Amino acid sequence: MIQDTALRVGGATSEQPIVICSEAHRFLVAQQMQECGVSPRAIVLEPEGRNTAPAAAIAALLASEADPTAVIALLPSDHRVANTVAFQAALSKAIEAAEEGWVVTFGISPSAPETGYGYIEQGDALPNSASLHKVLRFVEKPDAKTAQSYLAHGGYTWNSGMFVFRADILLAELGQYCPDIVEAARQTLA
């Protein structure tokens, strides 16, 4: 799955990935990257597992060293993507939106009222794009009745945990809403 994640980005970008993983997985990740012919720009080791925001902050800080407006695709390696061509097309659209200053997340069309996933309520379409929408809200792991109502209502997707953003935009947003995460990331990198 690590190799699949690195390779599926393929046609959407030619950048070297920054891989963030636990210290326990460092040799496995390095081996997996070498086996699939992907040379990471960096492999960052987390001393302990954290949530997405600290990893995103680290990636944004590292990428911004070379280019403050660098576009980052934050992609967990535990996703199975059946249609790589469609994913690459969606990623290309997400990159274009991120270049314009949007923070993009990927929703997955739900196939069942799953209570183990978070949900995204879809808002209006973005200007000049029928396939990209504003997020009205995130709902973290609803109960079964609520999840069923989301499917019946429509307009909700599962939260994939995949994001695309410009480094400077994400750091500004985190600085406004979670300044402790940015400061901890800066100190960690230092």
Side-chain angles (χ1 to χ4, degrees):
M1 294 185 91
I2 293 168
Q3 291 180 5
D4 289 345
T5 302
L7 294 173
R8 86 171 52 105
V9 175
T13 179
S14 61
E15 297 293 322
Q16 294 175 291
I18 297 170
V19 181
I20 301 175
C21 65
S22 71
E23 191 168 341
H25 295 120
R26 67 180 184 224
F27 296 118
L28 173 65
V29 167
Q31 177 187 354
Q32 292 291 308
M33 294 290 95
Q34 185 178 21
E35 285 179 8
C36 72
V38 174
S39 177
R41 181 172 139 195
I43 297 177
V44 178
L45 306 178
E46 290 182 302
E48 61 184 75
R50 296 285 182 188
N51 292 322
T52 304
I58 293 289
L61 289 168
L62 286 171
S64 67
E65 290 174 357
D67 177 4
T69 63
V71 173
I72 297 164
L74 191 70
L75 307 173
S77 65
D78 63 351
H79 286 39
R80 183 182 159 274
V81 176
N83 187 337
T84 302
V85 172
F87 175 79
Q88 289 175 346
L91 182 58
S92 291
K93 286 181 183 179
I95 290 169
E96 289 174 14
E99 287 171 341
E100 294 175 12
W102 293 97
V103 175
V104 181
T105 186
F106 288 76
I108 299 170
S109 296
S111 58
E114 180 61 55
T115 60
Y117 301 143
Y119 284 74
I120 302 167
E121 184 177 9
Q122 179 178 303
D124 294 334
L126 293 185
N128 304 320
S129 177
S131 61
L132 297 173
H133 294 79
K134 294 180 180 179
V135 171
L136 288 180
R137 68 182 173 133
F138 289 93
V139 180
E140 189 58 36
K141 299 177 184 167
D143 62 32
K145 183 178 177 182
T146 303
Q148 181 60 48
S149 74
Y150 292 165
L151 263 66
H153 175 272
Y156 287 85
T157 58
W158 290 332
N159 183 1
S160 70
M162 296 185 286
F163 298 90
V164 181
F165 49 82
R166 269 187 12 206
D168 60 335
I169 299 290
L170 185 78
L171 291 171
E173 292 291 320
L174 286 175
Q176 180 176 353
Y177 296 105
C178 304
D180 54 322
I181 290 176
V182 178
E183 184 54 33
R186 288 187 199 284
Q187 290 177 10
T188 299
L189 284 175

